[in-house]
Amino acid sequence: MAMTQTQLLHELEPVVAVELDRHNAMAKEWFPHEYVPWSEGRDFDGVYGGEAWQESDSKIPEAARVSLIVNLLTEDNLPSYHHEIASTFGRDGAWGTWVHRWTAEEDRHGTAIRDYLTVTRAVDPVALERARMAHMEQGFQSEYGTMLQQLAYVSFQELATRISHRNTGKASGDEGCERLLARIAADENLHMLFYRNLLKAAFELDPNQTMRAVTDVVTTFQMPGSGMDGFARKSLIIANEGIYDLRLHLDDVLMPVLRQWAVFDKTGLDGDGEKAREELSAFLAKTDATAARFVERREERRARAAARQ
Ligand SMILES: [Fe+2]
Ligand SMILES: [Fe+2]
């Protein structure tokens, strides 16, 4: 008999408590204001009559700028994410403590990145604010209806966010930006560990149902910011730069997490669980081929561009 989502939430609560303690022991307090070079700031036009932003103000290359905006807008949608996980995991007991702790940590990310970009004039603050309004007004709704699917989703998504922040920092060519994004990426990694360990415990409680949830999520995974205006075009720019692409998604996000859960070594799967694992296997093989083709074409394009110069 498959466990109900309510039974699973109840059975997982002691694991949440253990993981919370582990998380709190590992998490390092940090201060967004220390990561922002305030002395570089100057007034903008409007209330203080300074200079409006212009393209030449930014020292950050185009692709990294696009990625910074996508990452920041994604962080900005925190109220919707909070709503989603609070509705699924609840606000009581250890689950509730985690939901609120996680929300408080995530809230630093948007604040810190926005301050950094505004002070250093890395992006157009007017366009950024309009994009934030448009993006947040859409809200965010999880594609996934069950607690297990949502747990699987955040396990991958936190790691995806970690990789994306870290590689955006590197691509920025800006030491301060890289330092800040590395700091944020370290938070995302701890979030990933929390969710990944919980899902590992869910595998022990109900392997077949958990396997199905993992396959459902891996085969339909979208980044949390995928609803934003121009996301397809922006993600192509980000992929072409090698900040986040299908190769990284497969090798650095999906596979390490799947390996940690040992999904391909699990015994005791049957029925739909076994079927889900076969579907997952086929999907990963197909994705690997698509990723290889993408990288090959990107290398050809780069070689052609280099030859032209
Ligand atoms: Fe974040
Ligand atoms: Fe996170």
Side-chain angles (χ1 to χ4, degrees):
M1 268 282 280
M3 292 175 83
T4 66
Q5 299 299 299
T6 311
Q7 283 171 325
L8 283 164
L9 276 172
H10 182 74
E11 293 291 321
L12 285 173
E13 173 134 34
V15 187
V16 174
V18 169
E19 287 301 315
L20 242 177
D21 286 344
R22 194 193 49 77
H23 175 86
N24 290 337
M26 306 234 337
K28 233 181 94 207
E29 186 184 33
W30 66 278
F31 299 94
H33 73 273
E34 293 177 357
Y35 286 79
V36 178
W38 300 99
S39 65
E40 283 183 29
R42 51 198 168 84
D43 294 345
F44 286 97
D45 55 335
V47 178
Y48 286 98
E51 270 176 89
W53 183 86
Q54 45 187 331
E55 189 78 29
S56 57
D57 287 346
S58 179
K59 294 176 292 190
I60 309 265
E62 169 71 10
R65 243 194 275 174
V66 169
S67 190
L68 276 161
I69 292 168
V70 168
N71 290 4
L72 175 52
L73 295 179
T74 301
E75 296 284 355
D76 280 336
N77 241 349
L78 180 60
S80 279
Y81 310 141
H82 172 84
H83 176 83
E84 292 294 302
I85 70 161
S87 310
T88 303
F89 300 151
R91 300 175 62 177
D92 305 319
W95 279 109
T97 308
W98 167 256
V99 165
H100 292 116
R101 168 78 197 204
W102 174 86
T103 303
E105 289 185 11
E106 287 291 351
D107 196 43
R108 277 200 288 242
H109 300 170
T111 305
I113 298 173
R114 178 165 282 95
D115 283 349
Y116 192 91
L117 298 183
T118 306
V119 167
T120 62
R121 292 187 173 238
V123 301
D124 179 350
V126 174
L128 178 64
E129 178 62 5
R130 288 181 179 150
R132 185 191 64 79
M133 286 297 294
H135 186 53
M136 287 188 76
E137 281 182 65
Q138 274 179 25
F140 169 85
Q141 231 189 333
S142 171
E143 305 269 313
Y144 305 110
T146 71
M147 193 274 290
L148 282 179
Q149 288 172 325
Q150 290 211 21
L151 261 190
Y153 179 74
V154 288
S155 303
F156 296 116
Q157 171 268 317
E158 292 284 358
L159 185 52
T161 316
R162 174 203 183 188
I163 303 286
S164 175
H165 280 312
R166 200 182 56 193
N167 289 349
T168 302
K170 284 187 201 153
S172 73
D174 173 325
E175 205 186 321
C177 184
E178 187 171 352
R179 192 183 307 120
L180 170 63
L181 294 186
R183 181 52 262 183
I184 292 172
D187 282 1
E188 310 295 19
N189 195 48
L190 285 186
H191 298 159
M192 179 276 290
L193 283 177
F194 182 92
Y195 291 125
R196 195 188 71 189
N197 292 348
L198 266 186
L199 199 101
K200 192 179 194 127
F203 258 118
E204 277 154 38
L205 292 169
D206 190 332
N208 288 309
Q209 204 185 162
T210 305
M211 191 62 243
R212 169 51 66 193
V214 167
T215 297
D216 287 348
V217 168
V218 169
T219 54
T220 56
F221 186 91
Q222 297 271 355
M223 290 297 252
S226 63
M228 77 181 61
D229 286 344
F231 183 78
R233 190 183 55 83
K234 291 182 171 95
S235 44
L236 196 63
I237 294 172
I238 291 165
N240 281 335
E241 190 62 27
I243 295 171
Y244 198 90
D245 58 33
L246 196 57
R247 185 82 267 159
L248 291 165
H249 182 63
L250 183 64
D251 295 352
D252 292 7
V253 176
L254 298 180
M255 291 314 292
V257 174
L258 293 171
R259 263 197 296 274
Q260 275 294 324
W261 292 331
V263 294
F264 294 109
D265 308 320
K266 272 200 192 317
T267 50
L269 287 182
D270 52 39
D272 190 54
E274 192 51 63
K275 190 166 161 276
R277 178 158 62 183
E278 284 161 19
E279 285 170 33
L280 178 67
S281 222
F283 178 83
L284 294 173
K286 201 178 76 192
T287 304
D288 184 53
T290 311
R293 254 194 329 271
F294 173 78
V295 170
E296 207 176 292
R297 293 205 188 117
R298 184 174 64 196
E299 271 160 20
E300 285 164 13
R301 273 197 306 277
R302 283 179 181 169
R304 279 200 300 275
R308 272 198 303 273
Q309 280 182 2

